[in-house]
């Protein structure tokens, strides 16, 4: 399995994964295609706050992930938000998500003090996987405002 940075040329393959992900029950928000394309564009651009990754198995695209960098005052440092983890159905259950979480932690070791992700309450499989990797529930309700 290979995890690599998203590059120009990955746009369509990633979009083809984002569309079913963002139209699934795994997420509560269903942005339109223009928003998804902008996210991909930002990942391949030189923007320091967001990174995109592609997961490959034997040269075949198996999924993607995105991270965003923030700051956690209560933890006193950089917080890496794992924004997206999507694995194509035929590749699920083979440890790709766990490998990505490990990859992100290794990438930011010594820089980040917290890693944060969201999981929809009914996504029990993902919740179990994240907890096995050491994640626990923060307990806050999240509020947001789009502009």
């Amino acid at each position: 399995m290979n995890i690599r940075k998203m590059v120009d040329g990955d746009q369509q393959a990633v979009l083809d994964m984002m569309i079913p992900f963002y139209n699934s029950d795994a997420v509560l928000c269903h942005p339109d295609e223009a928003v998804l394309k902008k996210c991909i564009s930002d990942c391949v651009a030189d923007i320091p706050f967001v990174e995109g990754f592609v997961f490959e198995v034997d040269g075949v695209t198996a999924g993607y992930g995105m991270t965003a960098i923030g700051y956690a005052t209560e933890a006193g440092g950089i917080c890496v938000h794992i924004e997206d983890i999507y694995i194509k159905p035929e590749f699920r259950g083979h440890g790709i998500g766990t490998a990505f979480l490990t990859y992100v932690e290794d990438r930011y070791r010594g820089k980040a003090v917290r890693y944060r992700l969201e999981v929809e309450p009914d996504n029990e499989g993902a919740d179990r996987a994240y907890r096995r990797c050491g994640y626990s529930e923060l307990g806050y309700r999240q509020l947001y405002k789009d502009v």
Side-chain angles (χ1 to χ4, degrees):
M1 209 256 315
N2 181 44
I3 298 172
R4 63 170 176 79
K5 291 266 297 186
M6 198 180 293
V7 296
D8 279 327
D10 287 327
Q11 287 92 335
Q12 190 61 52
V14 172
L15 182 63
D16 290 345
M17 292 181 283
M18 289 183 85
I19 290 171
F21 177 54
Y22 277 97
N23 285 297
S24 75
D25 292 337
V27 295
L28 298 176
C29 181
H30 305 286
D32 64 31
E33 194 171 310
V35 170
L36 302 179
K37 287 180 177 180
K38 169 93 168 65
C39 292
I40 297 166
S41 177
D42 287 348
C43 283
V44 299
D46 191 23
I47 296 176
F49 307 108
V50 63
E51 289 187 296
F53 304 91
V54 173
F55 317 146
E56 298 173 325
V57 174
D58 297 327
V60 176
T61 300
Y64 80 95
M66 290 184 185
T67 60
I69 305 302
Y71 193 89
T73 54
E74 63 190 21
I78 292 173
C79 177
V80 178
H81 294 261
I82 297 150
E83 291 290 329
D84 287 13
I85 299 176
Y86 177 80
I87 308 266
K88 290 180 178 178
E90 63 269 28
F91 292 100
R92 292 179 188 159
H94 299 281
I96 295 171
T98 298
F100 178 59
L101 293 174
T102 300
Y103 175 89
V104 170
E105 289 181 22
D106 288 345
R107 185 173 183 79
Y108 290 99
R109 190 170 315 283
K111 299 174 192 164
V113 298
R114 176 174 283 170
Y115 300 90
R116 190 169 177 169
L117 51 77
E118 298 170 357
V119 61
E120 200 277 324
D122 292 336
N123 194 346
E124 295 172 1
D127 186 76
R128 280 191 306 275
Y130 300 148
R131 288 176 189 272
R132 278 193 309 269
C133 290
Y135 287 77
S136 57
E137 192 168 332
L138 192 54
Y140 290 120
R141 287 179 53 199
Q142 291 204 36
L143 307 173
Y144 71 96
K145 178 181 177 180
D146 289 334
V147 293

